[in-house]
């Protein structure tokens, strides 16, 4: 057992170290992405204060009125009905293949609000999934997930007194001890979550990197696989223009009888300009773990039911439960906050592991040869940039959203550019400064940006804030306050922590 | 005393362990997933979703083992066995 523990120590220490600069970024952006919709909502203040109608039916009718008038030729219309989570009626359509546009509809007046061009929360979600680097990025993220699993299991193997140490945290003693305790506590207390989140994350994108069974049965075609799981009632194009659209109310009521009253959250209208246009109603997904949406489908010209799907194959549901556990569409704000806190716990585990490595080995590497000393110096600085620097860059992204002109061309890409440029700058800063100073300056910098964000928001988008509160939408204010609290936490860490 | 010997072994052994863990583990998991996909008596889509749900359970121990093995050569043992067995079962199952 001792030999195994020693062997696993090297894997845990070195495997953990080398992957953690990237793993922290994946964990942090994933944590933020739990609230990606709220981030997007905050980042488009122009769209925040449209009031939805009293009933979902009226909302659906208002959305359809707008789309029929403004975008009759679009290949598909997408209507997100207001929900507890995001109280906005949102319509969207592909302006060009792959390029979707969206508007918030004020159901009472019929006006459409167009927000400033931004990736919003998708920036964090996309970075989390693929580092904004396409398929190569997906593979790299998969590697971090695999290594997180390997590090977690090896960590348990090497932790001799895992039950005795369960609640041990000694912040005042020897610094190395405190860092080890912090690493252990955040790792062990949340161990089921860490194992679950890493495993389910890998499962989400199996088609990209573990397609063996998919290749056997579906020639590697993930769409063909999905078509087996999700019933499609889409009609082929009739190539004839659509006659009048049938009234939506009977369809809506019929869909509610199938899916549940008050449970319709999303509508799609396929090929609305074609005679074979169809309307799809989707049930919301916030009350089940398996990430599958029941749906009901109707002909658009006469409201006839084409078919519905309210039951799912057990193996499909089982797999989609893994996806659901990762993305957490269920449980509303309570679950989202739990995932946020657990995600932060994961970030603390990885960050404290990185710092522990350098703190523990500082005396050893001070006396080592030039190669090891150089490696160690770089490692220490990578720690600063990948932890504090990333947090600073995340805040800078939010600032770019408020400070870049709303009308600026290409501002969505520019915001992401600010994120990466800031992150690169923090790396250069970390390479130029002594390590403790680099930590302090970047942590205080991030803290300052977070604490000042509510003020910047009030100055640059104060009207929106006031109007959204008046309309009963507390998300923008909640976002400001949460970022402020994060700022307080960062300032406290900067003050108290000896790095 | 596997651990002490491992630390004194050279870069070649370490590299071999890493290759066995990541590369060998990948091949073994791939073959195992393929085998699972044809061996379970399920509909094609069901088999794929089941394989997708379970396959990474195979990869994790295959990453850990090479670092517990006595040397960089023995590190490849399980990866090779699982890859060959998996590939055989996959081939036999797909041929049916």
């Amino acid at each position: 057992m001792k030999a195994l523990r020693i062997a696993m120590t090297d894997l845990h220490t070195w495997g953990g170290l080398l992957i953690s600069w990237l793993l922290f970024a994946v964990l942090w952006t994933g944590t933020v992405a739990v609230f990606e919709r709220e981030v997007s909502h905050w980042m488009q203040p122009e769209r925040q204060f449209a009031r939805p109608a009293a009933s979902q039916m009226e909302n659906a009718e208002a959305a359809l009125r707008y789309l029929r008038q403004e975008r009759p030729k679009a290949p598909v219309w997408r209507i997100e009905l207001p929900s507890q989570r995001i109280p906005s009626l949102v319509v969207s359509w592909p302006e060009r293949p792959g390029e979707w546009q969206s508007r918030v509809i004020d159901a009472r007046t019929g006006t459409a609000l167009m927000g400033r061009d931004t990736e919003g929360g998708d920036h964090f979600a996309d970075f989390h999934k693929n580092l904004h680097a396409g398929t190569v990025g997906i593979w790299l993220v998969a590697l971090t997930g695999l290594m997180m699993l390997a590090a977690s299991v090896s960590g348990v193997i090497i932790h001799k007194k895992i039950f005795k140490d369960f609640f041990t945290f000694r912040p005042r003693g020897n610094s190395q001890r405190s860092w080890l305790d912090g690493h252990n506590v955040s790792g062990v207390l949340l161990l089921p979550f860490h194992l679950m989140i890493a495993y389910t994350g890998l499962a989400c994108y199996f088609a990209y990197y573990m397609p063996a069974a998919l290749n056997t049965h579906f020639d590697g075609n993930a769409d063909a696989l999905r078509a087996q799981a999700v019933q499609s009632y889409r009609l082929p194009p009739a190539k004839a223009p659509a006659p009048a659209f049938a009234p939506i109310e009977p369809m809506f009521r019929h869909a509610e009888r199938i899916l549940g009253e008050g449970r319709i959250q999303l509508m799609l209208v396929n090929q609305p300009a074609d005679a074979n246009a169809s309307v799809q109603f989707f049930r919301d997904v916030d009350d089940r773990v398996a990430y599958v949406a029941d749906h009901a489908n109707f002909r658009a010209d006469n409201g006839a039911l084409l078919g519905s799907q309210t039951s799912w194959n057990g193996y499909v549901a089982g797999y989609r439960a893994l996806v659901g556990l990762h993305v957490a569409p269920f449980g509303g704000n309570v679950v989202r906050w739990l995932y946020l806190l657990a995600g932060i716990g994961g970030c603390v585990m990885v960050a404290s592991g990185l710092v522990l490595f350098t703190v523990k080995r500082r005396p050893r590497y001070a006396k080592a040869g030039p190669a090891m000393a150089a490696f160690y110096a770089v490692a220490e600085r990578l720690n600063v940039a990948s932890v504090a620097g990333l947090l600073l860059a995340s805040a800078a992204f939010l600032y770019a959203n408020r400070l870049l002109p709303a009308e600026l061309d290409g501002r969505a890409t520019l915001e992401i550019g600010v994120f990466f440029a800031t992150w690169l700058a923090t790396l250069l800063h970390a390479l130029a400064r002594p390590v403790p100073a680099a930590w302090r300056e970047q942590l205080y910098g991030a803290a300052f940006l977070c604490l000042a964000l509510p003020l910047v928001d009030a100055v640059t988008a104060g009207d929106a804030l006031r109007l959204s509160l008046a309309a009963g939408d507390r998300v923008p204010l909640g976002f400001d306050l949460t970022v402020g609290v994060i700022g307080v936490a960062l300032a406290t860490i900067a003050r108290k922590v000896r790095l | 005393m596997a651990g002490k010997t491992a630390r004194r072994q050279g870069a070649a052994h370490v590299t071999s362990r890493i290759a066995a863990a990541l590369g060998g583990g990948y091949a073994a998991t791939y073959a195992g997933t393929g085998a699972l996909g044809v061996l379970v008596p399920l509909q094609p889509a069901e088999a794929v979703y089941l394989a997708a749900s379970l396959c990474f359970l195979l990869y994790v121990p295959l990453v850990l083992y090479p670092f517990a093995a006595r040397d960089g050569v023995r590190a490849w043992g399980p990866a090779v066995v699982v890859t060959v067995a998996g590939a055989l079962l996959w081939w036999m199952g797909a041929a049916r």
Side-chain angles (χ1 to χ4, degrees):
Chain A
M1 191 57 198
K2 180 162 187 259
L4 180 64
R5 214 177 273 132
I6 294 173
M8 291 294 107
T9 302
D10 280 344
L11 168 63
H12 183 87
T13 304
W14 289 99
L17 174 76
L18 293 174
I19 203 68
S20 284
W21 295 308
L22 191 56
L23 178 59
F24 183 87
V26 174
L27 288 179
W28 167 248
T29 52
T31 303
V32 175
V34 172
F35 285 96
E36 64 176 309
R37 303 204 57 209
E38 286 78 0
V39 174
S40 294
H41 189 62
W42 184 89
M43 289 180 76
Q44 293 189 298
E46 299 83 1
R47 296 173 21 148
Q48 280 167 8
F49 45 85
R51 292 165 195 251
S55 80
Q56 295 291 50
M57 173 71 63
E58 285 165 37
N59 284 319
E61 284 171 339
L64 285 167
R65 256 195 309 273
Y66 173 82
L67 287 163
R68 260 195 286 264
Q69 187 173 320
E70 299 296 328
R71 289 293 184 279
K73 297 282 196 303
V76 58
W77 295 339
R78 186 189 149 96
I79 302 169
E80 287 171 55
L81 297 173
S83 64
Q84 279 280 56
R85 186 174 177 188
I86 303 290
S88 300
L89 174 63
V90 183
V91 300
S92 41
W93 64 89
E95 191 70 23
R96 271 167 288 278
E99 267 182 52
W100 283 66
Q101 288 237 7
S102 72
R103 304 277 185 276
V104 166
I105 305 294
D106 186 322
R108 284 154 214 244
T109 63
T111 43
L113 299 171
M114 184 172 150
R116 61 188 64 186
D117 191 24
T118 178
E119 286 297 309
D122 284 355
H123 159 64
F124 292 102
D126 287 345
F127 186 96
H128 174 71
K129 291 179 220 175
N130 62 27
L131 313 175
H132 285 301
T135 307
V136 171
I138 291 181
W139 279 79
L140 282 171
V141 174
L143 180 64
T144 66
L146 178 68
M147 289 308 299
M148 182 172 172
L149 282 173
S152 300
V153 175
S154 59
V156 170
I157 292 173
I158 68 184
H159 192 153
K160 243 201 296 194
K161 292 182 283 179
I162 191 163
F163 292 112
K164 184 160 178 271
D165 280 352
F166 213 70
F167 294 108
T168 304
F169 183 54
R170 294 161 282 199
R172 260 166 255 294
N174 159 301
S175 157
Q176 184 186 313
R177 188 100 262 168
S178 309
W179 283 108
L180 179 60
D181 287 346
H183 184 63
N184 286 341
V185 165
S186 54
V188 173
L189 278 180
L190 293 165
L191 187 61
F193 180 84
H194 298 319
L195 293 172
M196 179 277 292
I197 210 76
Y199 189 87
T200 56
L202 279 172
C204 285
Y205 276 149
F206 77 93
Y208 284 90
Y209 37 75
M210 200 50 66
L214 183 66
N215 288 344
T216 309
H217 293 293
F218 294 95
D219 238 339
N221 187 338
D223 290 333
L225 172 70
R226 192 174 180 279
Q228 293 291 307
V230 183
Q231 248 336 90
S232 174
Y233 298 97
R234 215 168 284 202
L235 299 164
K239 305 284 170 85
F245 217 88
I248 198 71
E249 177 155 1
M251 283 188 247
F252 198 93
R253 297 284 172 237
H254 194 166
E256 280 199 311
R257 280 199 299 278
I258 297 172
L259 302 174
E261 198 174 318
R263 305 246 51 155
I264 294 174
Q265 208 271 303
L266 178 67
M267 291 166 56
L268 283 184
V269 181
N270 299 301
Q271 46 196 20
D274 186 280
N276 274 349
S278 60
V279 184
Q280 265 184 299
F281 296 86
F282 292 90
R283 187 188 187 278
D284 60 23
V285 291
D286 61 4
D287 62 349
R288 50 170 59 152
V289 177
Y291 199 11
V292 288
D294 298 356
H295 56 109
N297 306 262
F298 301 82
R299 285 193 66 95
D301 56 6
N302 62 13
L305 177 70
L306 289 164
S308 65
Q309 183 171 11
T310 55
S311 72
W312 300 83
N313 177 288
Y315 295 92
V316 171
Y319 171 75
R320 292 301 292 181
L322 293 182
V323 179
L325 279 172
H326 194 81
V327 175
F330 56 88
N333 274 329
V334 173
V335 169
R336 275 190 286 277
W337 273 98
L338 286 173
Y339 268 64
L340 184 87
L341 293 172
I344 289 175
C347 292
V348 168
M349 171 181 70
V350 172
S352 59
L354 281 172
V355 174
L356 175 64
F357 178 92
T358 56
V359 163
K360 186 173 170 182
R361 287 161 185 254
R362 202 170 274 154
R364 192 188 308 183
Y365 290 149
K367 294 178 259 164
M372 278 319 278
F375 167 79
Y376 181 77
V378 171
E380 278 215 289
R381 285 160 172 82
L382 284 176
N383 286 359
V384 182
S386 63
V387 175
L390 178 64
L391 299 173
L392 218 169
S394 304
F397 176 71
L398 300 176
Y399 271 71
N401 174 262
R402 283 299 191 260
L403 297 177
L404 288 172
E407 305 300 326
L408 187 62
D409 236 349
R411 65 184 307 291
T413 313
L414 210 48
E415 283 176 353
I416 298 180
V418 167
F419 170 82
F420 281 111
T422 307
W423 200 10
L424 181 62
T426 61
L427 177 62
L428 297 173
H429 172 264
L431 289 168
R433 300 285 289 147
V435 168
W439 272 114
R440 253 196 323 273
E441 286 156 17
Q442 291 193 20
L443 283 172
Y444 274 125
F448 174 73
L449 288 180
C450 289
L451 287 164
L453 187 73
L455 296 167
V456 172
D457 194 17
V459 166
T460 58
D463 289 337
L465 201 53
R466 265 191 299 280
L467 286 164
S468 64
L469 281 170
D473 174 8
R474 286 171 306 188
V475 170
L477 181 65
F479 185 89
D480 281 344
L481 294 175
T482 306
V483 173
V485 167
I486 292 175
V488 172
L490 289 173
T492 311
I493 293 171
R495 219 162 58 85
K496 299 216 151 174
V497 161
R498 282 171 291 142
L499 286 141
Chain B
M1 295 258 238
K4 280 208 172 132
T5 321
R7 278 182 176 172
R8 278 199 232 108
Q9 288 168 358
H13 281 272
V14 174
T15 312
S16 178
R17 291 175 195 271
I18 296 171
L22 295 178
Y26 183 83
T29 306
Y30 200 95
T33 307
L36 186 60
V38 295
L39 290 175
V40 290
L42 295 171
Q43 295 300 306
E46 295 176 330
V48 175
Y49 279 119
L50 182 67
S53 304
L54 297 177
C55 63
F56 301 102
L57 290 170
L58 187 53
Y59 207 158
V60 178
L62 286 168
V63 169
L64 263 45
Y65 178 86
F67 297 93
R70 236 181 301 157
D71 58 56
V73 176
R74 284 187 175 76
W76 284 88
V80 169
V81 168
V82 174
T83 305
V84 170
L88 257 166
L89 289 166
W90 187 4
W91 179 67
M92 283 161 39
R96 261 191 273 118

